[in-house]
DNA sequence: ATCAGATTC
DNA sequence: ACTAGAATCTGAT
């Protein structure tokens, strides 16, 4: 720290430099931020390096300064400030306010003059001064107590000038800089100078005579050449010098104490950085203590400034029985707690943190006293009078279940709430949610970090709920997403029974088939190579075998299925490769991949259903993903045989919504053709074909139907003629005529799409039927492709997301009914528009009624929701009853 | 860590 | 310049 140092910054100069050094950046709202970003970066860097006691920034104010009175063309060669830059000066001032750095500006004066004045006054009080600027004029201010930091190329490098350095570089003293300019001029400020005098002549003259005035007084003693150059130019020389001279006594009140720096206002700065989307700077502010040791420049800022220290919260480690009793009393009394459990699924709970409103945070390490501490946890969780708040309650339910603890009164899940508020966040770690919604930086690791998280979870409960209510997402949360947490936990815990021997058998069969195929492929290629390597495969196909290249990837030849299908005619190796790929996928991902994830204890697959992953509101499934089990091709479909009921006497029942997305489209668009088709129970693709091709329903061929089907898909995804043409393998023109026809016959759909995109552009987000919201900053991108993507997402999200709403609603209803009717049947999977149950044969009839009722009436639309139900001894065998 | 390619709805 | 929405997993580099 150098408390006796004042840093004075030339705001205009730095912002201009930054603007030209950094390519145009924008945030998602289209606000251009490159200059203010660069400026802020420089600011943080210099503060971090110098750790000054005082800071001030100066700006120009007013187009006309006193210099213009002397010389109208002063700065006459300057270009007007670009439109992209002007608003950034305002943003820079916002940054300074958040940094709590005072800035000065005075009508009719340039930043330089204010800097000169501030520097003089600071020197007078004995302070050291450091001037940060990109403008070499400032070198005239260098003195024993004042140094200048000049930006070099770009903005990252700084060069420090003291008196010696000025002399080395210019051959003059700082006070002679203005004389230098008086003689030489300065094209950048349009200061004329004396024609014919350049750097060399000027410095020689100044060495001999000191200053311009002296030179002019001694004109007669100069060489004839110099006399000729200077005579009659006295006024220009003196004027030029005057223009270059920084005023050091601007009439301003300056209280240096205003400049003493206490560090930034953490909240404001974070909010501003978030608004401007300065992700790397936010990261610097939120950096973990561990990474502070590294010497990345700005981390020091965090540790040195009290205001930026991470959020701390005290906690007590509970060890005695009295303390345990006491916290139970506190929890019962308050009726609400936040709980943070640590531990790993399958390994039990390591510790738990308890946050009780208006009390300390308590840490109970399970290992300290296993029985007593788990008793406390059980008492808390199983007491239905105490409301429980978790971040990722589903994970907590898993952990608790392993200790046979049942969670009652799940009151809030901050992770799920944060997801609803922004379904496109990269992750929902407590620290990031707290940063986003509480504007605090939590410590990164250790017990302190976890205690702070527990405390934050408690506070987030209210904050997030209020935000949800504000945008009418509270019912979505309350009646659907929160209850769904419990439903999903039960599905995961129940798991899916699999025939492990069946998987092994398939693996062995696949191994044989793959061996045979690869031998044949290597033979045809004339050499051994790794067929799994797109790179090696590309070399074989396109270099050795000289097959035609249709498509390239970033890194080389494309060898995807689309390409290989086109090449199948050319060489018999190609079909074999396609088959190889198919089998290799089946073996690695499915036969072997699934086998590896069968739980040793239960003998089942316990996939995780992620509730906070997708942008649209769908669930996702992982470890293993049970939402992409093959079905399209028979060879893959056979994998489904290994998915079996949990016990003898049970069956698998599947229930899937028929055409749910197109029904939602019908409902939302109110398109007459679609409404009628669904109300009459017509096959929607046949109906569409009849419309598009202008033939009666009974004359629609299967070819026509399949094309219409592709068009319907295209509509849901946000159609383009190109994409449709590729899919249907027809000309782009033909594809376009399908689309035109489609919109002509279904004008309601056209209007709906236009309306959704329009609304998205005015609101910045789209909604599903149940008010799930997705923001689409892509709509405002300058990039054509990104913008188009935004438009397609605007069309697709309400449809896909509403379908997700509906099935989630059905799941909650069904689970409730199954419990109330005390049935054995268990929901085990959800595959976007399909639910799968493991049920005793004896319950099948009841279950079908229940499931059909709940799914078809989950939400009443203007078209019926049809559900197809199938039953079987395994997933493969499931057939309509 | 990223890419290419596969699988699903 | 690129081109249909949403995902997860594997193997190669």
């Amino acid at each position: 720290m150098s408390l006796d140092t004042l840093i004075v910054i030339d705001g205009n100069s730095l912002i201009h430099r930054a603007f030209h050094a950094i390519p145009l950046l924008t945030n998602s709202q289209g606000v251009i931020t490159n200059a203010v970003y660069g400026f802020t970066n420089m600011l943080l860097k210099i503060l971090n390096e110098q750790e000054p006691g005082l800071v001030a920034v100066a700006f120009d104010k007013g187009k006309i300064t006193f210099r213009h009175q002397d010389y109208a063309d002063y700065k006459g060669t300057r270009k007007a400030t670009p439109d992209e830059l002007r608003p950034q000066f305002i943003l820079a001032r916002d940054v300074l306010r958040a940094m709590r750095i005072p800035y000065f500006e005075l009508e009719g004066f340039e930043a330089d003059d204010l800097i000169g004045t501030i520097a003089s006054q600071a020197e007078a009080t004995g302070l050291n001064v450091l001037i940060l600027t990109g403008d070499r004029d400032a070198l005239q201010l260098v003195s024993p107590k004042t140094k200048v930091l000049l930006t070099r190329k770009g903005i990252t490098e700084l060069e420090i000038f003291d008196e010696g350095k000025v002399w080395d570089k210019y051959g003059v003293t700082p006070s002679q800089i203005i004389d230098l300019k008086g003689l030489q001029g300065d094209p950048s400020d349009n200061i004329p100078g004396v024609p014919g005098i350049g750097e060399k002549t000027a410095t020689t003259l100044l060495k001999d005579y000191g200053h311009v005035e002296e030179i002019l007084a001694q004109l007669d003693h100069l060489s004839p050449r110099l006399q000729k150059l200077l005579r009659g130019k006295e006024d220009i020389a003196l004027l030029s010098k005057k223009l270059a001279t920084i005023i050091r006594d601007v009439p301003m009140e300056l209280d240096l104490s205003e400049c003493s720096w206490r560090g930034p206002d953490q909240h404001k700065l974070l909010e501003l950085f978030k608004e401007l989307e300065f992700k790397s700077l936010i990261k610097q502010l939120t950096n973990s203590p561990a990474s502070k040791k590294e010497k990345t420049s700005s981390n020091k800022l965090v540790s040195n400034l009290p205001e930026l220290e991470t959020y701390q919260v005290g906690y007590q480690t509970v060890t005695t029985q009295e303390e345990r009793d006491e916290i139970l009393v506190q929890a019962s009394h308050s009726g609400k707690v936040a709980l943070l459990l640590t531990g790993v699924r399958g390994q039990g709970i390591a510790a738990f943190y308890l946050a009780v409103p208006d009390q300390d945070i308590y840490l109970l390490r399970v290992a300290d006293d296993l029985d007593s501490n788990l008793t406390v946890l059980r008492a808390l969780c199983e007491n239905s009078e105490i409301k429980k708040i978790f971040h990722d309650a589903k994970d907590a339910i898993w952990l608790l279940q392993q200790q046979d603890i049942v969670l009652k009164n799940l009151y809030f899940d901050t992770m799920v709430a944060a997801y609803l508020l922004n379904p496109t966040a990269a992750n929902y770690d407590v620290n990031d949610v707290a940063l986003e919604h509480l504007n605090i930086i939590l410590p990164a690791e250790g017990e302190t970090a976890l205690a702070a998280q527990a405390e934050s979870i408690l506070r987030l409960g209210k904050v997030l709920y209020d935000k949800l209510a504000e945008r009418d997402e509270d019912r979505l949360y309350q009646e659907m997403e929160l209850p769904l947490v419990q439903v999903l936990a039960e599905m995961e815990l129940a798991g899916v029974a699999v025939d492990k021997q069946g998987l092994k058998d398939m693996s062995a069969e696949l191994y044989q088939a793959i061996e045979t195929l690869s031998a044949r492929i290597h033979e045809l290629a004339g050499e051994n190579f790794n067929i799994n390597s797109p790179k090696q495969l590309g070399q074989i196909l396109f270099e050795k075998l000289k097959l035609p290249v249709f498509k390239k990837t970033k890194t080389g030849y494309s060898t995807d299925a689309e390409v290989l299908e086109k090449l199948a005619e050319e060489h018999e190796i190609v079909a074999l490769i396609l088959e190889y790929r198919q089998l290799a996928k089946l073996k690695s991902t499915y036969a072997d991949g699934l086998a590896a994830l069968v739980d040793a204890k239960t003998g089942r697959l316990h996939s995780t259903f992620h509730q906070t992953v997708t942008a649209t509101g769908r669930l996702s499934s992982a470890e293993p993903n049970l939402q992409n089990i093959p079905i399209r091709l028979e060879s893959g479909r056979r994998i489904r045989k290994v998915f079996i009921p949990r016990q003898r006497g049970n069956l698998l029942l599947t229930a899937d919504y028929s055409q749910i997305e197109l029904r939602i489209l019908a409902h939302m668009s109110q398109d007459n053709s679609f409404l009628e088709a669904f109300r009459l129970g017509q096959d929607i693709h046949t109906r569409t074909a009849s419309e598009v091709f202008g033939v009666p329903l009974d004359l629609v061929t299967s070819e026509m139907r399949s094309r219409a089907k592709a068009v319907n898909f295209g509509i849901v995804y946000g159609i383009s003629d190109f994409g449709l043409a590729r899919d249907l393998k027809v000309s782009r023109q033909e594809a376009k005529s399908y689309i035109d026809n489609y919109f002509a016959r279904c004008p309601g759909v056209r209007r709906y799409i236009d309306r959704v995109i329009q609304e998205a552009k005015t609101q910045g987000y789209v909604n599903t039927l149940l008010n799930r919201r997705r923001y689409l900053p892509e709509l405002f991108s300058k990039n054509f492709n990104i913008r188009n993507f935004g438009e397609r997402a605007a069309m697709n999200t309400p449809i896909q997301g509403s379908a997700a709403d509906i099935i989630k609603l059905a799941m909650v209803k069904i689970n409730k009914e199954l419990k109330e009717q005390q049935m054995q049947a268990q929901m085990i999977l959800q595959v976007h528009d399909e639910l799968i149950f493991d049920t005793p044969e004896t319950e099948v009839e009841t279950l079908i009624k229940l499931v059909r009722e709940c799914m078809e009436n989950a939400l009443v639309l203007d078209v019926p929701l049809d559900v197809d139900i199938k039953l079987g001894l395994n997933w493969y065998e499931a057939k309509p009853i």
Side-chain angles (χ1 to χ4, degrees):
Chain A
M1 286 283 268
S2 33
L3 285 172
D4 57 346
T5 295
L6 164 71
I7 291 189
V8 199
I9 295 165
D10 185 333
N12 285 72
S13 164
L14 251 50
I15 290 168
H16 268 107
R17 288 267 161 170
F19 180 73
H20 291 109
I22 299 176
L24 289 180
L25 306 169
T26 60
N27 73 356
S28 52
Q29 305 301 308
V31 178
I32 300 177
T33 56
N34 65 325
V36 65
Y37 175 76
F39 174 73
T40 308
N41 239 328
M42 280 190 264
L43 200 60
L44 291 175
K45 186 164 175 244
I46 188 82
L47 292 172
N48 184 42
E49 283 171 6
Q50 301 295 332
E51 303 175 29
L54 305 91
V55 194
V57 175
F59 287 104
D60 296 345
K61 187 160 190 194
K63 276 220 153 73
I64 305 298
T65 70
F66 66 92
R67 290 184 177 85
H68 292 87
Q69 295 168 6
D70 294 323
Y71 181 59
D73 276 348
Y74 178 67
K75 294 203 170 174
T77 50
R78 287 286 168 92
K79 287 190 190 120
T81 310
D83 288 341
E84 293 85 357
L85 176 55
R86 211 168 301 119
Q88 298 194 62
F89 281 101
I90 295 162
L91 295 175
R93 285 172 172 81
D94 291 341
V95 170
L96 291 172
R97 274 192 296 276
M99 293 288 295
R100 296 202 295 209
I101 293 172
Y103 54 88
F104 300 93
E105 49 197 341
L106 191 63
E107 189 65 43
F109 290 91
E110 291 181 56
D112 271 349
D113 302 314
L114 301 184
I115 291 169
T117 306
I118 294 167
S120 290
Q121 295 190 19
E123 277 191 38
T125 67
L127 289 167
N128 294 311
V129 180
L130 210 49
I131 295 166
L132 176 60
T133 178
D135 186 347
R136 292 179 179 267
D137 280 354
L139 293 176
Q140 64 188 273
L141 299 172
V142 169
S143 76
K145 304 226 72 165
T146 297
K147 297 185 177 79
V148 169
L149 276 167
L150 271 185
T151 54
R152 279 217 290 220
K153 273 188 192 170
I155 52 165
T156 43
E157 279 179 61
L158 295 177
E159 197 171 14
I160 189 159
F161 282 82
D162 56 12
E163 292 173 295
K165 181 81 174 271
V166 173
W167 180 261
D168 291 345
K169 261 249 149 82
Y170 295 94
V172 298
T173 66
S175 65
Q176 288 174 317
I177 293 277
I178 48 180
D179 298 288
L180 202 60
K181 295 224 170 181
L183 296 170
Q184 238 187 286
D186 183 347
S188 72
D189 288 342
N190 204 27
I191 295 176
V194 179
I197 295 188
E199 188 189 329
K200 258 275 162 19
T201 320
T203 44
T204 322
L205 277 169
L206 289 172
K207 241 174 228 157
D208 294 345
Y209 298 94
H211 295 284
V212 169
E213 294 80 0
E214 194 61 22
I215 296 168
L216 296 177
Q218 306 286 334
L219 252 186
D220 297 342
H221 301 103
L222 296 179
S223 71
R225 180 183 80 93
L226 289 171
Q227 287 194 29
K228 196 177 173 200
L229 280 174
L230 281 163
R231 279 206 202 279
K233 306 285 191 227
E234 293 90 341
D235 288 351
I236 290 186
L238 289 169
L239 172 65
S240 295
K241 175 170 174 176
K242 189 178 175 194
L243 290 173
T245 304
I246 291 174
I247 305 291
R248 309 192 64 162
D249 53 359
V250 168
M252 64 186 285
E253 291 283 320
L254 175 66
D255 182 358
L256 277 175
S257 68
E258 275 178 50
C259 303
S260 67
W261 192 49
R262 300 170 290 153
D265 178 330
Q266 185 195 335
H267 287 231
K268 264 199 195 165
L269 197 59
L270 268 175
E271 257 167 57
L272 186 61
F273 282 4
K274 279 197 281 177
E275 193 185 316
L276 297 173
E277 296 169 18
F278 288 172
K279 302 217 175 83
S280 65
L281 295 181
I282 292 176
K283 223 172 172 181
Q284 280 182 22
L285 293 185
T286 59
N287 245 335
S288 64
S291 62
K292 274 186 201 161
K293 287 183 204 113
E294 295 165 25
K295 49 196 178 300
T296 33
S297 56
S298 293
N299 288 337
K300 259 204 284 173
L301 187 63
V302 178
S303 56
N304 287 328
L305 303 171
E307 296 299 327
L308 273 178
E309 263 176 25
T310 46
Y311 183 79
Q312 297 292 336
V313 49
Y315 66 100
Q316 273 184 41
T317 308
V318 173
T319 49
T320 69
Q321 192 54 44
E322 288 72 40
E323 289 168 337
R324 283 192 279 266
D325 293 342
E326 170 61 20
I327 61 171
L328 277 177
V329 171
Q330 283 180 15
S332 305
H333 185 249
S334 84
K336 181 163 57 168
V337 299
L339 268 169
L340 176 73
L341 313 185
T342 69
V344 181
R345 284 188 190 189
Q347 288 176 36
I349 297 164
F352 60 99
Y353 292 76
L354 179 67
V356 185
D358 306 318
Q359 304 290 337
D360 222 338
I361 309 300
Y362 303 102
L363 159 60
L364 290 86
R365 293 193 198 89
V366 172
D368 287 354
D369 186 338
L370 197 133
D371 288 341
S372 313
N373 283 337
L374 285 180
T375 304
V376 171
L377 189 57
R378 183 185 309 278
L380 285 167
C381 289
E382 297 190 344
N383 181 338
S384 50
E385 301 298 310
I386 302 176
K387 300 164 173 170
K388 262 75 69 175
I389 305 177
F390 286 95
H391 187 84
D392 195 355
K394 182 154 64 66
D395 194 54
I397 292 170
W398 259 89
L399 291 169
L400 290 168
Q401 184 273 157
Q402 290 171 343
Q403 313 290 343
D404 282 314
I405 297 173
V406 178
L407 177 61
K408 290 181 183 157
N409 201 348
L410 169 57
Y411 180 69
F412 205 86
D413 188 326
T414 50
M415 184 171 89
V416 172
Y419 166 70
L420 289 189
L421 289 170
N422 175 21
T424 49
N427 71 81
Y428 298 92
D429 295 345
V430 184
N431 291 17
D432 291 303
V433 174
L435 175 65
E436 170 80 20
H437 296 282
L438 298 176
N439 281 319
I440 55 173
I441 297 167
L442 299 190
E445 50 195 34
E447 289 182 345
T448 337
L450 295 166
Q453 288 179 9
E455 201 257 7
S456 299
I457 292 167
L458 185 62
R459 288 168 56 197
L460 281 168
K462 178 166 172 46
V463 171
L464 297 180
Y465 187 81
D466 288 346
K467 290 189 182 188
L468 287 170
E470 206 174 298
R471 52 163 94 161
D472 288 332
E473 282 190 286
D474 48 335
R475 287 193 60 199
L476 177 73
Y477 172 79
Q478 197 86 8
E479 293 171 27
M480 181 162 110
E481 296 290 348
L482 184 64
L484 188 66
V485 171
Q486 182 69 39
V487 176
L488 294 177
E490 288 171 22
M491 288 167 65
E492 290 177 9
L493 285 165
V496 187
V498 289
D499 172 5
K500 230 187 149 179
Q501 188 56 47
L503 284 173
K504 277 188 187 158
D505 295 346
M506 295 193 79
S507 177
E509 277 175 41
L510 289 165
Y511 173 81
Q512 288 304 330
I514 288 168
E515 282 298 299
T516 312
L517 267 173
S518 59
R520 183 87 186 101
I521 289 168
H522 289 151
E523 194 181 308
L524 285 168
E527 66 180 286
N528 281 1
F529 69 101
N530 187 345
I531 310 168
N532 290 325
S533 161
K535 196 176 158 195
Q536 293 181 37
L537 179 61
Q539 280 164 3
I540 297 289
L541 293 180
F542 303 111
E543 289 170 18
K544 188 160 185 182
L545 301 178
K546 303 258 191 295
L547 297 177
V549 178
F550 290 109
K551 194 161 67 165
K552 293 200 131 197
T553 66
K554 268 180 270 185
T555 49
Y557 310 109
S558 171
T559 65
D560 66 17
E562 192 192 331
V563 171
L564 296 186
E565 273 158 32
K566 276 194 196 167
L567 292 175
E569 305 286 289
E570 307 271 344
H571 198 292
E572 65 169 313
I573 196 174
V574 178
L576 297 178
I577 291 166
L578 276 166
E579 200 183 343
Y580 172 95
R581 281 253 177 91
Q582 202 190 331
L583 300 186
K585 175 74 176 174
L586 286 175
K587 182 167 186 298
S588 67
T589 303
Y590 298 105
D592 297 345
L594 290 177
L597 288 166
V598 173
D599 186 291
K601 285 195 206 102
T602 64
R604 299 181 192 161
L605 290 170
H606 300 268
S607 173
T608 304
F609 287 99
H610 291 290
Q611 204 179 345
T612 60
V613 167
T614 71
T616 54
R618 275 187 176 180
L619 298 175
S620 78
S621 153
E623 286 181 285
N625 179 357
L626 294 181
Q627 292 180 323
N628 71 346
I629 302 302
I631 188 167
R632 215 178 77 248
L633 301 171
E634 176 57 25
S635 54
R637 188 175 197 151
R638 293 191 307 149
I639 285 283
R640 296 186 168 221
K641 289 183 180 181
V642 305
F643 291 81
I644 55 176
R646 61 193 48 207
Q647 60 187 35
R648 281 178 67 95
N650 273 31
L651 294 168
L652 291 189
L653 183 141
T654 73
D656 68 281
Y657 279 114
S658 155
Q659 304 295 351
I660 189 167
E661 293 192 337
L662 290 174
R663 285 171 200 265
I664 287 166
L665 176 65
H667 173 83
M668 295 201 295
S669 71
Q670 291 288 306
D671 180 89
N672 286 327
S673 171
F674 267 84
L675 287 173
E676 186 183 271
F678 283 124
R679 284 171 182 164
L680 295 175
Q682 293 170 345
D683 177 292
I684 191 62
H685 301 313
T686 307
R687 168 76 190 230
T688 303
S690 147
E691 299 278 358
V692 172
F693 297 105
V695 298
L697 280 173
D698 50 3
L699 291 184
V700 170
T701 64
S702 67
E703 176 69 17
M704 287 155 82
R705 182 182 181 278
S706 89
R707 290 185 180 200
K709 186 175 171 180
V711 179
N712 277 332
F713 266 94
I715 295 295
V716 172
Y717 296 154
I719 200 158
S720 79
D721 51 7
F722 183 95
L724 184 63
R726 177 156 55 65
D727 234 44
L728 286 178
K729 300 182 170 73
V730 300
S731 75
R732 209 167 143 170
Q733 246 181 343
E734 191 164 355
K736 186 170 184 307
S737 82
Y738 294 168
I739 296 169
D740 291 344
N741 259 346
Y742 183 97
F743 283 134
R745 299 299 308 227
C746 308
V749 174
R750 163 98 272 174
R751 280 196 299 275
Y752 166 73
I753 290 175
D754 292 344
R755 194 185 81 220
V756 165
I757 292 177
Q758 190 50 48
E759 270 180 20
K761 283 182 174 168
T762 52
Q763 299 179 131
Y765 58 84
V766 290
N767 275 331
T768 66
L769 284 175
L770 294 186
N771 240 3
R772 184 189 303 278
R773 187 182 290 193
R774 174 183 180 178
Y775 285 91
L776 289 166
E778 295 90 347
L779 288 170
F780 309 107
S781 167
K782 268 172 57 180
N783 181 310
F784 175 84
N785 290 317
I786 296 175
R787 212 169 50 240
N788 275 351
F789 168 81
E791 292 187 2
R792 292 194 296 272
M795 301 181 229
N796 174 261
T797 298
I799 297 173
Q800 191 182 113
S802 297
D805 290 350
I806 290 172
I807 196 166
K808 282 176 164 179
L809 221 44
M811 291 168 76
V812 170
K813 274 195 186 182
I814 290 169
N815 213 242
K816 183 163 170 271
E817 287 295 321
L818 289 176
K819 275 192 185 164
E820 277 175 11
Q821 302 186 26
Q822 297 186 2
M823 293 171 67
Q824 300 298 303
Q826 173 69 52
M827 197 185 324
I828 54 174
L829 292 175
Q830 188 253 41
V831 192
H832 308 308
D833 65 354
E834 174 184 22
L835 296 174
I836 294 132
F837 300 84
D838 187 334
T839 175
E841 199 172 350
T842 50
E843 288 183 5
V844 165
E845 215 175 315
T846 327
L847 182 66
I848 289 174
K849 267 193 210 146
L850 188 161
V851 167
R852 192 181 285 288
E853 163 70 19
C854 289
M855 287 178 76
E856 290 185 345
N857 300 306
L859 195 66
V860 177
L861 303 186
D862 292 333
V863 292
L865 286 177
D866 277 6
V867 173
D868 294 327
I869 291 179
K870 301 190 182 85
L871 194 64
L873 276 165
N874 57 56
W875 203 0
Y876 178 90
E877 297 292 346
K879 300 277 152 46
I881 359 124

